Amino acid sequence: YNEDEYLRTEIVPGAFAQYTFISPDKFSMIAGIRSDFHSIHGLFFTPRLHLKYSVNHHLTIRASAGKGYRTAAVFAENMALFASSRMLIIEEELLAEEAWNYGININGDIHYFEKKEFKWSLDFYRTDFVNQVITDINADVNEIRFYNLRGNSYSNSFQAEISTEAFKRFDISAAFRIN
């Protein structure tokens, strides 16, 4: 590969607009859109939406959704692989990574004894990739290949957490996460 071919300077001017709606005590919504002009990849539109509903003083539900873009820096992100003496192969022009992200969070508190409480939360988030830059080290033992996503790719993340203040300035937390 020609090293100079992959040197780049990115310029990304953009504009952002946001609308916030808040109803007393129960519901809020933030809707936004961003427009960017990327000097290499062109025009991007990035919408987002955040919702919050307070069921009562002890239970809140949040949801969010939006789109995201990112330019992969394959050399900087894979430095450890370069010590392997494998040949680097960039199979095609690498496009910007693009994904839809959405999720939900539910949190609350449970009171015990007189002034003690457990705080708990459940989170589930998903990313559906429209394009992803793949670093393939398994196709050939002598090569590291970079190419754009072929097919479907997604990521799920779930977390459950609980915490309490056992005594003054001493918190105990426990969490479970699966990705």
Side-chain angles (χ1 to χ4, degrees):
Y1 75 95
N2 179 355
E3 183 178 302
D4 293 337
E5 188 178 335
Y6 297 102
L7 296 175
R8 67 178 188 231
T9 299
E10 296 180 34
I11 300 171
V12 190
F16 178 77
Q18 177 175 296
Y19 172 75
T20 302
F21 172 81
I22 299 173
S23 74
D25 299 328
K26 290 281 186 183
F27 178 76
S28 66
M29 175 189 77
I30 301 172
I33 188 149
R34 182 176 177 89
S35 176
D36 292 299
F37 186 80
H38 193 282
S39 59
I40 298 170
H41 299 290
L43 192 60
F44 294 138
F45 288 103
T46 312
R48 70 174 186 163
L49 179 66
H50 299 280
L51 305 171
K52 176 183 170 189
Y53 180 68
S54 297
V55 177
N56 56 43
H57 291 296
H58 303 287
L59 182 64
T60 303
I61 301 170
R62 292 178 177 84
S64 62
K67 193 168 196 180
Y69 291 93
R70 163 184 187 280
T71 303
V74 295
F75 299 114
E77 294 167 6
N78 295 286
M79 294 293 279
L81 295 177
F82 299 152
S84 67
S85 299
R86 292 179 175 197
M87 181 181 294
L88 302 178
I89 298 174
I90 298 178
E91 294 185 1
E92 59 194 323
E93 178 184 349
L94 300 178
L95 304 174
E97 294 186 317
E98 179 180 353
W100 286 96
N101 306 290
Y102 42 93
I104 189 166
N105 163 268
I106 303 170
N107 63 52
D109 55 69
I110 301 169
H111 293 269
Y112 66 98
F113 298 130
E114 290 177 15
K115 295 184 179 181
K116 299 287 185 180
E117 69 178 1
F118 282 109
K119 294 182 180 183
W120 61 271
S121 69
L122 300 172
D123 298 305
F124 178 77
Y125 290 95
R126 181 177 174 101
T127 300
D128 286 314
F129 291 94
V130 177
N131 185 56
Q132 186 177 22
V133 173
I134 306 298
T135 302
D136 188 345
I137 62 172
N138 297 316
D140 187 310
V141 296
N142 298 310
E143 299 174 345
I144 301 171
R145 296 181 183 180
F146 300 98
Y147 51 86
N148 296 304
L149 175 66
R150 298 178 186 126
N152 297 321
S153 180
Y154 65 89
S155 171
N156 289 327
S157 176
F158 171 77
Q159 179 170 313
E161 184 175 347
I162 191 164
S163 65
T164 190
E165 184 179 52
F167 49 87
K168 192 172 184 174
R169 293 188 298 249
F170 186 83
D171 294 338
I172 296 175
S173 297
F176 172 79
R177 171 179 265 179
I178 186 167
N179 289 318

